[in-house]
Amino acid sequence: MSVYETAVRPLLFRLDAERAHNLALRASELSGRSSLARRAAGRAFTYRDPRLETSLAGIPLANPLGLAAGFDKNARAVGMLGSLGFGHLEVGSVSADASDGNPKPRLFRIEQDEGIVVAYGVPNDGASVVRERLTGPRRVPIGVNLVKTNDPARPAAGPEVYEDYAASFVALQDRAEYIAINLSCPNSAADRDFFDELGRIDGLLVRLAACDPRVPLILKLKPTRDAGVLREIVAIADNHPFVSGFAINLPSGKPPDLNLTVSRDSLARMPGAVGGPPVEELVNAILGTLKPIVGDRYALIAAGGVTSAEAAYRKLRLGATTVQLYTALVYHGPGLVKEILAGLAALLERDGFERVADAVG
Ligand SMILES: Cc1cc2nc3c(=O)[nH]c(=O)nc-3n(C[C@H](O)[C@H](O)[C@H](O)COP(=O)(O)O)c2cc1C
């Protein structure tokens, strides 16, 4: 057990989940202002191995493990988070305008399944504030995840949605190594199904193409196992060469194919989408369907239940170019990053791969 698991987690877990998260983020933000603290964290948490070096849509990465969107929505703590050993960070989701998100409580732990239930509804400070925070040198590449502004008074209905994404895209693309487009926040009830009409994905990409895209674009999709739908989405992307890859979001609500042991009664008291090990199989099944469709034409970023080197490796073998985690950081703390990377290097060695990219797919 790490110091985090024995000493820090018990204290944090006494607090409401959102308060605990805000506290951890604030501590990261403040400590990240000290170059001494950043260097000390870098020494403690970094694991280097040339076999783990890889690239995502042409962006060189020291390793294939990133921090998933949602942990640092507003890019407050990238100084410290960039010193924890991750190969990249994804901040956001950020929207054109600031948003308060959904009413509280909106974040819950399912301790027995090491899961998190999230119903935030993409609260964030808005594109212009986040833009100002993303200045200065950075230790690792940063992707910025964009979403439509969550405003129940202005639910997604038509082309104004494209304008909303275009505004945040224009504000943030020159502050990011890549842009991820969150096409379906599972917790924006009024917006999450907008892109089910797949022609609208084309509509959005046509609009973004007019914004002079200069960095790779990743589409973070609503999860579906339907190969026909995935094929259609990939065919749409094929018409827009600035689309470089895909990621898979959490499913909304509590679909029956989540691996949960907690009672349905307890779940009913926790509105929102489930992250962590309960979604691993579902995401992996989608990844296994998507990879043969995209072949080597697109990068794939895979998050969902990465809690160990073995879990990260499973996603890489299924075709993920890089993997990300969020929930496992809450349960196991920052030491997990190094543990996963060392374990990945050992798995590459075991299977005779010289570089992590050789193990992909
Ligand atoms: C509390 C929480 C907030 C999240 N917020 C976002 C978000 O704002 N945008 C997004 O694209 N994904 C968001 N996600 C999804 C994660 O980026 C990731 O895809 C998902 O949690 C699966 O990874 P995990 O099992 O390691 O948590 C969030 C996840 C959690 C748990």
Side-chain angles (χ1 to χ4, degrees):
M1 294 264 272
S2 64
V3 175
Y4 174 86
E5 288 163 304
T6 51
V8 181
R9 185 175 72 186
L11 296 176
L12 286 176
F13 276 25
R14 277 196 214 155
L15 304 174
D16 157 77
E18 184 168 348
R19 267 198 79 196
H21 178 72
N22 290 339
L23 203 67
L25 201 62
R26 184 82 181 131
S28 306
E29 181 183 358
L30 293 177
S31 57
R33 289 187 190 156
S34 151
S35 60
L36 211 66
R38 288 197 308 272
R39 273 205 301 276
R43 270 195 302 276
F45 295 116
T46 303
Y47 181 86
R48 285 258 178 215
D49 185 322
R51 287 172 299 184
L52 295 178
E53 289 168 12
T54 187
S55 67
L56 173 75
I59 307 158
L61 303 174
N63 67 65
L65 179 62
L67 178 66
F71 192 89
D72 188 4
K73 291 175 182 297
N74 295 304
R76 304 195 77 102
V78 290
M80 180 51 75
L81 295 173
S83 304
L84 298 185
F86 290 109
H88 74 281
L89 308 175
E90 190 169 312
V91 301
S93 294
V94 185
S95 48
D97 298 324
S99 160
D100 292 335
N102 294 333
K104 295 176 187 173
R106 52 194 184 173
L107 192 66
F108 312 88
R109 304 178 195 98
I110 319 175
E111 290 189 37
Q112 71 188 73
D113 292 314
E114 290 202 1
I116 286 186
V117 182
V118 50
Y120 269 137
V122 286
N124 73 94
D125 295 341
S128 50
V129 171
V130 173
R131 176 184 160 82
E132 293 316 310
R133 293 205 186 107
L134 287 171
T135 49
R138 48 189 62 172
R139 216 180 153 105
V140 297
I142 296 179
V144 179
N145 179 306
L146 307 180
V147 73
K148 174 198 165 277
T149 307
N150 183 12
D151 178 353
R154 289 186 299 142
E160 80 288 349
V161 172
Y162 310 149
E163 296 311 314
D164 198 279
Y165 279 101
S168 53
F169 184 79
V170 167
L172 284 159
Q173 74 154 328
D174 63 347
R175 301 290 159 99
E177 268 70 40
Y178 71 89
I179 292 285
I181 298 281
N182 182 352
L183 289 176
S184 163
C185 167
N187 300 306
S188 307
D191 298 337
R192 68 178 162 233
D193 301 328
F194 181 76
F195 288 102
D196 285 0
E197 217 175 275
L198 299 181
R200 289 171 166 171
I201 298 180
D202 189 55
L204 174 64
L205 294 175
V206 167
R207 180 65 188 86
L208 295 182
C211 300
D212 184 21
R214 293 182 295 275
V215 291
L217 194 86
I218 305 288
L219 297 177
K220 192 164 182 179
L221 308 175
K222 183 177 186 173
T224 173
R225 292 181 195 225
D226 187 329
V229 169
L230 292 171
R231 240 180 259 116
E232 247 184 273
I233 293 172
V234 173
I236 289 167
D238 284 342
N239 293 323
H240 301 278
F242 61 101
V243 177
S244 297
F246 299 94
I248 301 156
N249 213 333
L250 295 175
S252 75
K254 319 286 184 307
D257 42 6
L258 298 184
N259 286 322
L260 286 163
T261 62
V262 70
S263 75
R264 288 271 150 186
D265 277 356
S266 320
L267 279 178
R269 289 192 290 275
M270 302 183 227
V274 181
V279 297
E280 184 186 359
E281 267 183 43
L282 172 63
V283 170
N284 288 0
I286 297 169
L287 197 58
T289 310
L290 190 53
K291 178 63 183 174
I293 298 172
V294 301
D296 294 328
R297 302 193 330 276
Y298 290 97
L300 296 177
I301 302 181
V306 173
T307 53
S308 64
E310 289 73 19
Y313 195 58
R314 275 194 288 279
K315 282 189 168 47
L316 293 166
R317 297 295 286 135
L318 282 166
T321 317
T322 62
V323 298
Q324 295 178 334
L325 58 78
Y326 178 157
T327 302
L329 202 57
V330 174
Y331 283 91
H332 301 288
L336 182 66
V337 177
K338 191 172 184 175
E339 193 182 310
I340 290 179
L341 293 175
L344 269 180
L347 289 165
L348 294 178
E349 177 84 39
R350 183 197 69 186
D351 293 347
F353 292 116
E354 270 178 31
R355 310 190 70 83
V356 69
D358 299 336
V360 169

